[in-house]
Structures are given as structure tokens and as C-alpha cells.
Amino acid sequence: MDIVMDAGALNAFLKAEFPQIGDSYSIDHVSQDGLVARLSVNDGHLRPGGTISGPSMFALADLAVYCAVLSRIGPVGLAVTTNASIDFMRKPVAGRDLLAECRLLKLGRVLAVADVLIRSQDEPAPVARSSMTYSIPPRG
């Protein structure tokens, strides 16, 4: 399926429809396989001990899959998560943004399935891995 929303269109959609995320979450790049989403880490994403919180990493993975789906079907705001799992594998590097590489595995009429690898910027080893399924609302 062709790309119908690029990174600029997705970022504009997020800013308009989800102003509560501010400038923390954004889309860096959209490709035929998926996309790369970014968490610009600030103090609000940290847990005691100075590491990035699990909920912040989960939100990044969820946003990456949501935007990967929208990049193919257009601005369908009511697409929703129906299943999610996440494995936290190592502590993120302090003071670095997190990048989520999302790969769409299946995009059907009703369901989309994707995998996400989250890494600290400029680090090869993933800090988390997620698998998610999204429900796509019927058209019309």
C-alpha cells in the first residue's frame, strides 16, 4: 500500500489532534516498511533514578504503530490499539532521545499488526521491543 501521509503530515495531524503530547513525540521518517518515531526526552519522562519511564516508552511504541497505520490509510483518528505487548530489555542511555523503528507486518481492512524496536539515539542495542495490533474502523 502506498504512503498517503508523510512525516510532515503525520506531525501536523498529531499537533492538531493530540496537543497534549506537545513537542515530546514526533515522526522522523516514513518509508515503505514503516517509520521512525522519536521521543524527545525531558524531565517529565523520567522515573526515580533518572531513567526513562516504561509508560513513556510504551507511549512511543503505541504512537509509532498508530502513525505507521495512518501513513497508509490517511487521517483516521479512530483507529485504536486492540492488543499490545512490550519487553523492556535494558536501561536507555541517559540524556538521549529514544527512536522507535516501526515495521508494519500486516495491513488489512480491519486489523494492522506491527513490531517496534526502541533504541537510545546513536546506540545499536534495543532498549525495548513491542508488538501491537490496531483495529481500523470501517470506512463510511
Side-chain angles (χ1 to χ4, degrees):
M1 189 173 260
D2 290 334
I3 295 170
V4 297
M5 292 180 78
D6 63 10
L10 289 166
N11 286 322
F13 175 82
L14 292 174
K15 190 172 280 294
E17 299 297 326
F18 298 95
Q20 66 271 25
I21 67 172
D23 294 326
S24 294
Y25 296 90
S26 61
I27 305 305
D28 279 7
H29 174 74
V30 178
S31 70
Q32 281 295 36
D33 295 326
L35 57 73
V36 176
R38 175 181 299 269
L39 170 59
S40 298
V41 178
N42 62 47
D43 288 346
H45 302 115
L46 303 181
R47 56 168 284 153
T51 190
I52 300 168
S53 71
S56 295
M57 287 189 269
F58 182 89
L60 176 62
D62 194 41
L63 176 113
V65 175
Y66 179 64
C67 286
V69 171
L70 296 188
S71 76
R72 299 313 190 277
I73 67 171
V76 179
L78 296 179
V80 295
T81 311
T82 59
N83 188 52
S85 70
I86 190 165
D87 299 306
F88 299 103
M89 299 185 285
R90 59 186 49 83
K91 184 178 176 179
V93 176
R96 295 213 191 145
D97 287 354
L98 288 184
L99 299 176
E101 298 170 18
C102 177
R103 185 172 49 119
L104 279 173
L105 303 175
K106 176 189 187 286
L107 181 59
R109 284 183 309 104
V110 178
L111 293 176
V113 179
D115 278 337
V116 181
L117 282 178
I118 299 175
R119 293 182 172 87
S120 294
Q121 187 172 0
D122 300 323
E123 292 293 323
V127 299
R129 180 197 67 83
S130 180
S131 176
M132 293 192 181
T133 303
Y134 257 74
S135 176
I136 301 167
R139 298 227 181 235

